[in-house]
Amino acid sequence: IQLIKMDKKIVAIAVVAVVIVAMAAVFAVAGDKGGEEDSTTITDRLLIYGNANSDDYLDERDVSFLENLVKDPSKWDKRANPYADTDHDGEITQNDVDVLKKFLNKEKSTMYYTDVWGGASSIQYPITGNLGTMYWEQACMMVVLGLWDRVSACGYGSLTEETNPGWEKLYSYGKGYNADVEVMMAGHEKAGVQAIIAYTQSDGTAKDLIAAVEKSKMDMDVIAAPTQIGQVEAILTLGVLLGAEERAQEYAGYCDQAMDYVNDALKDVKEKPRVMLCMVKNSANTGDILVLGPASKSTPNGLYTYMSKAPVELIIPENYADFYTSVTAEWISQQNPDYIIALGPGVANSNKMDDAQLQNAWEERCKELFGATSAYNNGHIIGLANGVMNSAEGGFAYPALLSHIFPQIDKEKAYEYLDIWENEKFIFYKLADKPTYTIRDINTKA
């Protein structure tokens, strides 16, 4: 990670991207839960039916928990332990225990999980064959889980040799996330794909693909991971579905450390800064600015999901639609946010510029769009590549991002979590090799 002080006290900080979203709260409970006397840690993050005690693991503790419930099903608290119903038939029976034991023995059985739309989807467990990824976010997840060598087909949007070695030789679903359903289905035979990890940040092609596979009765699973809840939840759930539990738990553990550090550092924050989250297009049209917010029909942008958990006041337009709303530079100046976090370089022909040229162009773009705001005049504009927070990297980058807003967060400590992201091999490349993915901090304050 490189820190470069430039003229006008403008700082460029190299970071890399390859989403998490803020994690659910963790709390400890002890006592009689379904007849189980020992304490357990409830996280509500592993969204697999069979995770009877609602922790991050599918293990013998779930078997014991279920065996006690079978003795007296009236003790089943469906709200506290919704995943105790392993076979998803609405009741607790011996079959729930039997199916769970099959999972633990890696025997063939139907496994249910909560999908991105909040419903219960199923796969034929275990998935041991080749995998397909629709877009770069899903390819990133496979790298994080150590499963990239099992990927035999992919959508090639935003993939590079640094992020996903050998991707060009794989069966192609086409560019982007709206891949052709027939092309993806053909990958079952041509590339031996047993399961496709679907793009789920919008409805896109995922639902069409699921419907087509079900209609054809093809022996292939389509997995819509619960990214709308969080990246940790999605990674933990995928870890079980795809047999990479240990790697998923390692990932979740590091994300927990980062989140604990942030929460502890900011626990006494009283005044919430007003923050606007923007996606800035590369055109010269100043009206081509999108303000990010919640999404009711899909997974929200990762930046919004993280910042909604921070002690800030997020500025959302009154006429907000879904996922984002187009606004003008004049509207932004009227809102006068304390901080602006802008996704994307927002600079035309940015892929043809070196770092210094891009920084200069970015400064001019910020002046054009945000020059009338206090955020600009106080040096509180943060440029962020979309992939930083919108991928599995987000949990590691969250402290670093907030360190540019809150002095309570030590920058050196915050950036150590990005070192973990690199050093623990959740990516193939080194951060310094990805200069196009940056946090660009406009710091014009005297």
Side-chain angles (χ1 to χ4, degrees):
I1 297 170
Q2 189 177 16
L3 179 65
I4 307 173
K5 291 188 176 180
M6 304 174 66
D7 293 340
K8 300 181 182 179
K9 296 186 178 179
I10 294 171
V11 181
I13 301 171
V15 184
V16 93
V18 182
V19 134
I20 251 182
V21 203
M23 296 159 288
V26 177
F27 56 96
V29 297
D32 188 3
K33 298 288 289 182
E36 185 179 26
E37 294 298 335
D38 59 326
S39 64
T40 186
T41 301
I42 306 298
T43 66
D44 295 321
R45 300 193 302 190
L46 177 58
L47 310 183
I48 299 287
Y49 286 81
N51 180 22
N53 63 354
S54 297
D55 63 6
D56 286 345
Y57 306 90
L58 205 65
D59 55 22
E60 290 293 339
R61 287 173 293 186
D62 296 302
V63 174
S64 298
F65 193 102
L66 269 176
E67 287 176 336
N68 284 320
L69 284 183
V70 170
K71 295 174 184 176
D72 186 358
S74 66
K75 288 188 176 182
W76 180 28
D77 185 338
K78 294 182 181 181
R79 295 187 62 183
N81 303 100
Y83 296 103
D85 185 14
T86 310
D87 59 11
H88 191 53
D89 67 352
E91 56 185 358
I92 300 297
T93 65
Q94 181 60 37
N95 191 57
D96 293 306
V97 177
D98 296 341
V99 172
L100 176 56
K101 287 181 177 179
K102 286 185 178 181
F103 293 162
L104 300 185
N105 292 328
K106 307 294 184 184
E107 298 176 23
K108 289 185 178 181
S109 189
T110 300
M111 176 180 281
Y112 291 89
Y113 70 98
T114 294
D115 61 31
V116 70
W117 301 290
S121 290
S122 66
I123 64 158
Q124 293 307 302
Y125 183 84
I127 294 175
T128 57
N130 294 341
L131 306 172
T133 57
M134 280 183 66
Y135 201 41
W136 69 267
E137 289 104 329
Q138 293 74 52
C140 173
M141 289 176 173
M142 295 305 97
V143 174
V144 166
L145 290 172
L147 300 175
W148 179 246
D149 60 344
R150 284 176 54 189
V151 175
S152 61
C154 63
Y156 60 83
S158 300
L159 297 189
T160 68
E161 277 300 305
E162 290 85 3
T163 59
N164 302 92
W167 68 273
E168 292 180 292
K169 298 178 182 178
L170 304 181
Y171 178 82
S172 177
Y173 291 147
K175 184 177 182 179
Y177 43 84
N178 289 313
D180 185 271
V181 169
E182 292 185 0
V183 171
M184 285 191 285
M185 291 176 68
H188 176 59
E189 297 295 336
K190 295 182 178 179
V193 173
Q194 184 182 352
I196 294 178
I197 318 304
Y199 174 85
T200 55
Q201 198 166 4
S202 65
D203 286 351
T205 313
K207 287 186 174 179
D208 294 338
L209 175 61
I210 292 170
V213 169
E214 290 177 348
K215 183 178 180 179
S216 69
K217 300 187 184 304
M218 180 180 291
D219 185 23
M220 181 175 72
D221 290 301
V222 181
I223 301 175
T227 50
Q228 89 288 7
I229 300 176
Q231 280 286 319
V232 169
E233 288 81 357
I235 291 293
L236 284 171
T237 300
L238 282 170
V240 171
L241 295 175
L242 301 176
E245 296 93 334
E246 290 185 8
R247 187 62 169 161
Q249 290 157 7
E250 183 180 8
Y251 170 87
Y254 285 125
C255 289
D256 287 347
Q257 290 179 28
M259 190 61 68
D260 288 346
Y261 170 67
V262 166
N263 290 339
D264 184 64
L266 301 182
K267 66 180 184 296
D268 295 326
V269 170
K270 297 294 190 296
E271 296 185 10
K272 296 182 178 180
R274 299 173 69 249
V275 179
M276 184 176 292
L277 312 177
C278 298
M279 183 176 289
V280 181
K281 299 296 186 178
N282 290 345
S283 71
N285 179 10
T286 56
D288 198 10
I289 313 168
L290 307 176
V291 171
L292 298 172
S296 60
K297 301 177 182 177
S298 60
T299 304
N301 185 280
L303 175 60
Y304 169 79
T305 308
Y306 275 106
M307 293 305 297
S308 66
K309 304 298 182 183
V312 301
E313 177 187 341
L314 294 179
I315 301 173
I316 308 293
E318 290 183 5
N319 64 336
Y320 181 77
D322 188 77
F323 196 83
Y324 57 72
T325 293
S326 179
V327 300
T328 64
E330 289 73 21
W331 182 85
I332 292 178
S333 66
Q334 292 171 4
Q335 306 308 308
N336 199 29
D338 299 317
Y339 287 85
I340 295 173
I341 304 176
L343 289 180
V347 177
N349 301 315
S350 59
N351 60 338
K352 298 180 181 179
M353 299 179 184
D354 61 26
D355 251 12
Q357 292 171 325
L358 183 57
Q359 181 72 28
N360 290 332
W362 169 243
E363 294 168 22
E364 290 300 316
R365 187 79 164 125
C366 286
K367 184 176 181 180
E368 173 191 9
L369 299 180
F370 313 128
T373 67
S374 297
Y376 178 84
N377 293 322
N378 291 328
H380 294 166
I381 308 292
I382 304 169
L384 187 69
N386 186 38
V388 174
M389 305 306 296
N390 214 31
S391 77
E393 185 187 8
F396 294 79
Y398 187 50
L401 174 60
L402 292 186
S403 73
H404 293 266
I405 299 176
F406 296 100
Q408 293 92 336
I409 296 181
D410 179 75
K411 274 191 170 62
E412 184 176 351
K413 173 68 175 177
Y415 275 85
E416 288 178 1
Y417 293 104
L418 282 168
D419 291 338
I420 293 173
W421 174 252
E422 174 182 327
N423 296 335
E424 294 301 319
K425 307 300 182 185
F426 289 113
I427 52 176
F428 287 123
Y429 51 85
K430 291 187 177 296
L431 297 179
D433 295 335
K434 295 291 290 183
T436 57
Y437 290 103
T438 59
I439 291 177
R440 296 187 176 275
D441 185 11
I442 300 295
N443 185 3
T444 57
K445 186 175 182 180

